[in-house]
Amino acid sequence: MATQKDFDKKEAIFAATLELVSKHGFHSSPMSEVAKQANVAAGTIYHYFKSKDDLICALYVRLKEKTTETLLKQDDANKHYRERIRSFYLQNFRYFTQNPKEFYFLEQFSNSPFIQAIPRQDLQRLDQPIYDFLRKAVFMQAVRDIPPKIMISMLLGSVGSLVKLQLSGDFQLTSSDIEQAFFACWDGIKRQ
Amino acid sequence: MATQKDFDKKEAIFAATLELVSKHGFHSSPMSEVAKQANVAAGTIYHYFKSKDDLICALYVRLKEKTTETLLKQDDANKHYRERIRSFYLQNFRYFTQNPKEFYFLEQFSNSPFIQAIPRQDLQRLDQPIYDFLRKAVFMQAVRDIPPKIMISMLLGSVGSLVKLQLSGDFQLTSSDIEQAFFACWDGIKRQ
Amino acid sequence: MATQKDFDKKEAIFAATLELVSKHGFHSSPMSEVAKQANVAAGTIYHYFKSKDDLICALYVRLKEKTTETLLKQDDANKHYRERIRSFYLQNFRYFTQNPKEFYFLEQFSNSPFIQAIPRQDLQRLDQPIYDFLRKAVFMQAVRDIPPKIMISMLLGSVGSLVKLQLSGDFQLTSSDIEQAFFACWDGIKRQ
Amino acid sequence: MATQKDFDKKEAIFAATLELVSKHGFHSSPMSEVAKQANVAAGTIYHYFKSKDDLICALYVRLKEKTTETLLKQDDANKHYRERIRSFYLQNFRYFTQNPKEFYFLEQFSNSPFIQAIPRQDLQRLDQPIYDFLRKAVFMQAVRDIPPKIMISMLLGSVGSLVKLQLSGDFQLTSSDIEQAFFACWDGIKRQ
DNA sequence: TATGAATGAGCGTTCATTCAT
DNA sequence: TATGAATGAACGCTCATTCAT
C-alpha cells in the first residue's frame, strides 16, 4: 500500500538523519549521505521535506513528542507525587542512556540556532504535557510553589547532566547514584 | 609593539568568532565573515589558527578558562561552604545571563561533535579548579558524600537550565527565583 | 540515452583537460576552467572523478592506452622485424607530431611527481604491449640481445626527442630525417 | 663581506628550490617552504628574484650552464671523436644518475609550459657549446652528416631515457649496458 | 638588506537543491 | 512518486607577493 510505503520511506529518512546527525553533527551530515543511509534517492527526501532545515526541525518535533509520550506513559496517577516524579526522573535517565542518538540529537538541536526556526508556540506545545504534570503537582501541594518552568529546568537540567556524564564514558553511574541524585533534587523541591 | 599587535589581531578574531558563532552557529559563520568582522584578511586567521576547527576549539578552551577563573576568583575561603557554593551558583547565573554570547557558544560547543576534538585530559584540566573546589567541600564534610562529578553536573545542570530559561526571554527570573533554585539544590546536597 | 550522455560528459571533461593542461600546465588549468571548456558545471566533474589529481591520472592512463593501441594496431606480423620496428618508429613520430596535445600532456605528466601516484603495476601494464612486441623481436633474433627495457628507452627516447624538436618549431624535420634517425637507431640495435 | 653573504643567500635559495621542486614539483613547492629550507625570510627571496617564475627560470639557466660546462670540461680534443663522444655520453649518464635532483628539475622544467618563458635565443645559447662540439665532429667527418640538432636529440634522448630508467629503480643498469647503449648510438651516427 | 605578518585573489571541493526522465 | 545526474554558489584554505619595521 502506497501509504505504508510512504511511511516507511519517511521513517527511513528520519532514522538515517538521526543516525548521522547524532554521530557527526548537522553540517557533517550531507543530504546525499542521509539518502544513502535511508536507501532512497537524494531527490526523494524533497518529496517529504521542503529542505534540510525542514527535515531536521521535523525530526526534532517528532523526537520530542515521542520521548515526552514515552516518559509520561508510565505515569501512575494513583501513586504519591514523590513516586511519580521519581519515576519520571529515573525513566528520563534510563530512556536517554539507552537511546543516546536521540539524546545527542535533541541536545545538539536545542543548543543550536536551529531551534529559533521552530515557532515559539510549537515549542510550548511540546513541553505542555510535562508542564501540566508538574503544575498539577504544585497545585496538589506535593511540591513547593516554585514556578513549574523553573522546576522543569531544574529537574531536566539535573538529569540531562547525569545522562551526559554517563554517556561520556568518564563515569559509570550506579542506580544508587541516580537515586541519590533524584533525592537531592527532590529534597530541593518537595514541600518541607 | 609587535606583540601587542599580534595580541590585538588574535583577540579580534576570537571576538568576531564568538559574536558570529553564538548568533548563527558554527556552519553559518564562514571564515570570510569572521575575517570581515575582525577587520583582518581571510588569510590572516590562518597565521593564528591552523584551521576553522582549530580556531573554534581554541576559543572554547579560552572561554572555559576565563569563565572558570572569573567564577572562582570571587570565592572567599573564610566563608561557610554553603555561602561559598551559593555565591558560585549565583555568580554563574549572573555571569552567563550577562554574557549570553559566551553561554551560547559554550553550550553549542559542548553539545556538538566538535568537543570530541579536544583531548580528554585537556577537558579534565579545564574542569579541575571547580572539581577541586567541590571535592574539598565534600572532604570538609560540608556537603554529602556525593561524587564531585555528579555534584558538578547537578549544580551546573541546574544553573545552566535557568540561564537558558532566562535568556529565552520566556520567563523573567527574579533574584528570589535564583535564590530559591539554589536552596533547592543546596537542600539536595548539604549534609543533613 | 543516459549512457551516451555520461560518455559525452566524461569525454568532454577529458578533452577539456587535455586541451588546457597541454597548453598551460597542470597548475594553470583550474577546475573551473576545465568545467567551462567542457560545458559542464564545476561540480559535475566530481561525479566522474574523485579529485583533480584523479582526473589527471585517469586521463594519463587513458591516453597511454589509446596511443599504445594506435601504435601497435598497424603492426603487420608478416613483415620483417626491421620493417615492423621502422613502422613503429615512424608511426610514433607521426602520431605525436599530429597530436601535439597528447604529446605535451604525456611528457609533462611522466616527468612530474604526479606519476608517482600511479601504482607501479599499472604503469607496467600500460607498457606491456610494446614491451612484448620488442621482447619477441629479441627472441626471434631480429635484434641484438639488449634488455627490452633499454631498447624501449632508446627507441622512444630518440623518437621523443625528435618530436620535441619538430614541435618546438625550431626545425622542420623532413621524412628523410626521420628515416635517417630511424636507421641510425636500427643500426644500433640490429643483429649485425 | 656583503657580496659573499649575498652569494650564500642566493645559493641557499637555489639549493632549497632545487631540493623542493625536484622532489615535489613546482606547485607543491611554496615560496614559504623554499624560504624555510633556505633559512631566509620569505621576503628575502624577492630581493634576489622578481617572482617565483623568475626564480625557477634562473635556476634552470644556472643548472643548464653548470651541467653543460661540467660535461664538456673533461673533453680531450686530442682523442678520437668516437672516444670524445663516448666520454660525453658516459659522463652524461654518470652525472645525472649521481645528481638526480638536477635531472628531475631539468626534465620537469623542459617539459612544462615554463620553458616558454625563456627567450628562444637564451635557450639556444645554453645549448651552443654542445652544438658546437657536435658540429665540429660532423665537419671533421667523424660522424655522418646528420643535422647536429637531430644528433643531439638522439644522443641526449637516448641517455636521458637510460637515466630515467636507472633512477626509476626498476632496473639496475651495468656499465656494460651503458657501453652497449652508447655503441648502439654510435653505430647509428658514425660514418660507415 | 632582511624580515615575516599581512594580504586577498584564486584555488579545489562540497553539497543543498533542482528537474528531466 | 522516485530517481540521481547536474548544478553552481559558497565554502575552507593556500600561497605568491607586499610593505612597515
Side-chain angles (χ1 to χ4, degrees), chain B residues 2 9 17 22-23 29-31 51 89 94 113 136 142 170 174 184:
Chain B
K9 289 246 154 98
T17 306
S22 64
K23 204 189 297 180
S29 304
M31 293 299 257
S51 65
Y89 190 97
R94 185 186 306 178
K136 206 163 171 191
D170 284 352
T174 63

Side-chain angles (χ1 to χ4, degrees), chain C residues 129-185:
Chain C
I130 292 177
Y131 193 69
D132 290 345
F133 169 58
L134 289 176
R135 192 151 50 174
K136 206 163 172 190
V138 173
F139 179 73
M140 301 297 281
Q141 307 204 327
V143 296
R144 287 201 221 171
D145 189 9
I146 302 171
K149 280 206 172 173
I150 296 183
M151 210 179 294
I152 294 180
S153 279
M154 286 176 58
L155 279 167
L156 296 188
S158 162
V159 78
S161 294
L162 296 182
V163 172
K164 226 177 278 183
L165 193 55
Q166 169 86 0
L167 293 179
S168 74
D170 284 353
F171 202 91
Q172 273 299 330
L173 291 140
T174 63
S175 52
S176 135
D177 288 331
I178 314 304
E179 289 283 350
Q180 212 171 10
F182 166 70
F183 282 113
C185 264

